[in-house]
């Protein structure tokens, strides 16, 4: 009987050892460890400068004009700091029937076109007044332009100017066709092709 008791105890002890080994191996199978130091990643987004176009005040004494008449107005382009260069275009949509009216945009060193030859048929036309590339800069860039409109005194009969009119509006955009530009590492100066990733 003693042998039977000892066999039962040894059997239970053996079963217990087998269970402990199985459990230990199971936990070991699912255990893992990782060593190393924490990594630091710094990400900085690029800065594309905000562009502000201020068309300035309207011409003030521009009704019932007679030769000699001239008036000027200013407009500005402001570009905030940017890591890329940006080309700004200023356009004018106009209709004109005044045969002798002259139109000039000054500051040609900064992309103004200078004298504009106006169509006199009264048909709405579009003309480029400024094309200016602002290079990448860490400071805000501001450029002022002046428009001068003149009805000159010619010294001869100018009755053909009576009852005629000139109407115009100005606007600015980033391209001749108002394209969208994308900037990334592969295209630091911009591309019109949308990136895929």
């Amino acid at each position: 009987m003693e042998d039977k008791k000892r066999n039962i105890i040894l059997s239970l002890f053996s079963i217990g050892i087998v269970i402990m080994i199985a459990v230990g191996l199971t936990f070991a199978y699912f255990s893992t460890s990782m060593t190393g130091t924490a990594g630091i990643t710094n990400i900085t987004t690029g800065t594309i400068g905000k562009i502000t176009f201020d068309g300035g005040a309207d011409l003030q004494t521009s009704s019932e004009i007679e030769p000699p008449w001239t008036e000027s107005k200013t407009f500005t382009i402001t570009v905030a700091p940017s890591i890329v260069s940006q080309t700004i275009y200023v356009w004018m949509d106009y209709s004109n029937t005044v045969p002798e009216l002259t139109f000039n945009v000054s500051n040609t060193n900064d992309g103004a076109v200078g004298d504009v030859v106006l169509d006199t048929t009264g048909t709405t036309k579009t003309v480029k007044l400024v094309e200016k590339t602002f290079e990448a800069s860490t400071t805000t860039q501001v450029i002022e332009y002046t428009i001068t409109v003149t009805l000159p005194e010619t010294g001869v009969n100018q009755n053909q100017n009576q009852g005629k009119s000139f109407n115009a509006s100005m606007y600015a955009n980033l391209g001749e066709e108002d394209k969208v530009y994308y900037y990334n590492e592969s295209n630091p100066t911009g591309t019109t092709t949308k990136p895929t990733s």
Side-chain angles (χ1 to χ4, degrees), residues 38-193:
I40 299 173
T41 303
N42 294 318
I43 298 173
T44 305
T45 59
T47 303
I48 311 275
K50 176 183 175 185
I51 299 162
T52 304
F53 170 72
D54 180 354
D58 293 340
L59 297 176
Q60 297 302 310
T61 59
S62 56
S63 63
E64 305 297 327
I65 63 171
E66 297 176 0
W69 170 84
T70 189
E71 190 166 341
S72 296
K73 67 171 271 167
T74 61
F75 65 92
T76 58
I77 299 172
T78 305
V79 178
S82 178
I83 63 168
V84 296
S85 63
Q86 300 175 91
T87 301
I88 314 302
Y89 297 85
V90 177
W91 303 91
M92 179 176 72
D93 293 340
Y94 75 95
S95 65
N96 176 45
T97 57
V98 185
E100 295 169 350
L101 196 68
T102 65
F103 193 95
N104 178 277
V105 184
S106 64
N107 207 347
T108 54
N109 291 335
D110 281 317
V113 295
D115 290 327
V116 175
V117 177
L118 297 173
D119 178 85
T120 59
T121 63
T123 306
T124 300
K125 300 287 184 180
T126 300
V127 64
K128 180 171 49 177
L129 303 180
V130 174
E131 179 179 341
K132 172 64 178 169
T133 298
F134 290 84
E135 297 302 326
S137 174
T138 57
T139 60
T140 298
Q141 302 172 70
V142 180
I143 298 181
E144 184 176 87
Y145 298 90
T146 302
I147 292 175
T148 303
V149 185
T150 304
L151 181 59
E153 173 62 65
T154 62
V156 296
N157 186 322
Q158 293 178 273
N159 286 338
Q160 72 273 13
N161 293 319
Q162 293 185 36
K164 305 293 181 172
S165 65
F166 172 81
N167 297 296
S169 63
M170 293 186 332
Y171 56 95
N173 63 24
L174 293 173
E176 294 192 48
E177 299 176 64
D178 204 12
K179 296 177 181 175
V180 175
Y181 289 89
Y182 301 93
Y183 298 89
N184 56 25
E185 278 187 28
S186 302
N187 300 289
T189 58
T191 179
T192 56
T193 304

